[in-house]
């Protein structure tokens, strides 16, 4: 990989250009990280509203019509529905793995085959989430994992 930086005092805005032979999982991770740099979510703990950097979010879970956002050390509640968060966060490397879970692909620590073509996903915080067979194949494609 070659990195090139051009300093131009006349430039009005920051411009990042990526040139690649093909769109690989590594390039997608790089693009996702760039998009996330200034993106934040609002979430609550009790009645206190917090601004979370998307980069802090490991996964999001829907339980009893409420969404909970998990970071490495805290759990926040979101006002949004899971499908709304999915739409907002898809371009930032988040992926739905079941009816109840949305995970940050770069926070995956390991994958293990489970019964009925499901996948047991271990996240960076040690939590294990089951990716249903409906979503498992697409997740493996996104991660560049071969069978």
């Amino acid at each position: 990989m070659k990195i090139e930086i051009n300093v131009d005092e006349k430039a009005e805005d920051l411009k990042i250009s990526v040139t690649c032979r093909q769109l690989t999982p590594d390039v997608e991770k790089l693009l996702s990280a760039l998009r996330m740099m200034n993106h934040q979510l609002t979430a609550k703990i009790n009645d206190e509203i917090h601004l979370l950097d998307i980069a802090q979010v490991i996964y999001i879970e829907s339980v009893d019509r409420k969404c909970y956002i998990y970071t490495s050390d805290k759990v926040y509640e979101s006002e949004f529905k899971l499908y709304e968060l999915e739409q907002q966060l898809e371009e930032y490397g988040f992926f739905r793995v079941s009816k109840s879970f949305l995970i940050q692909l770069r926070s995956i620590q390991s994958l293990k085959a489970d019964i009925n073509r499901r996948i047991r996903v271990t996240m960076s915080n040690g939590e294990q989430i089951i990716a249903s067979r409906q979503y498992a194949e697409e997740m493996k494609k996104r991660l560049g994992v071969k069978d």
Side-chain angles (χ1 to χ4, degrees):
M1 176 168 59
K2 188 170 133 183
I3 298 174
E4 195 174 293
I5 300 173
N6 298 311
V7 178
D8 181 358
E9 293 176 8
K10 296 175 186 167
E12 292 182 27
D13 204 356
L14 175 66
K15 176 184 175 185
I16 298 174
S17 175
V18 176
T19 305
C20 57
R21 186 169 287 149
Q22 66 185 46
L23 198 59
T24 64
D26 285 342
V27 174
E28 286 186 11
K29 283 180 191 174
L30 173 66
L31 295 173
S32 179
L34 289 170
R35 287 184 191 120
M36 268 194 275
M37 282 176 49
N38 293 319
H39 203 287
Q40 296 180 323
L41 284 174
T42 56
K44 296 189 306 188
I45 292 182
N46 300 321
D47 289 330
E48 192 174 347
I49 295 175
H50 295 262
L51 290 176
L52 296 177
D53 253 342
I54 288 179
Q56 294 177 282
V57 178
I58 297 171
Y59 67 92
I60 302 168
E61 179 181 22
S62 175
V63 179
D64 296 330
R65 297 184 180 176
K66 291 186 180 183
C67 280
Y68 298 94
I69 299 173
Y70 292 79
T71 63
S72 60
D73 59 344
K74 291 186 179 154
V75 180
Y76 300 85
E77 189 176 332
S78 175
E79 294 293 320
F80 292 101
K81 303 282 186 217
L82 193 62
Y83 76 89
E84 293 171 323
L85 289 167
E86 180 182 17
Q87 290 170 351
Q88 290 177 29
L89 299 173
E90 186 175 33
E91 67 181 289
Y92 300 105
F94 284 80
F95 182 77
R96 185 186 283 250
V97 293
S98 70
K99 283 199 256 182
S100 307
F101 285 97
L102 190 61
I103 65 170
Q104 169 55 272
L105 292 174
R106 66 177 181 72
S107 293
I108 293 174
Q109 187 174 338
S110 67
L111 303 172
K112 184 176 180 183
D114 206 41
I115 58 172
N116 289 335
R117 296 187 350 249
R118 297 183 309 176
I119 298 174
R120 184 176 303 275
V121 181
T122 303
M123 303 304 291
S124 60
N125 65 350
E127 287 292 323
Q128 292 190 346
I129 296 169
I130 299 294
S132 70
R133 64 179 181 224
Q134 176 183 354
Y135 299 97
E137 287 304 313
E138 181 61 29
M139 181 182 68
K140 289 194 303 189
K141 279 186 203 170
R142 286 268 196 96
L143 294 170
V145 175
K146 305 266 190 241
D147 283 329

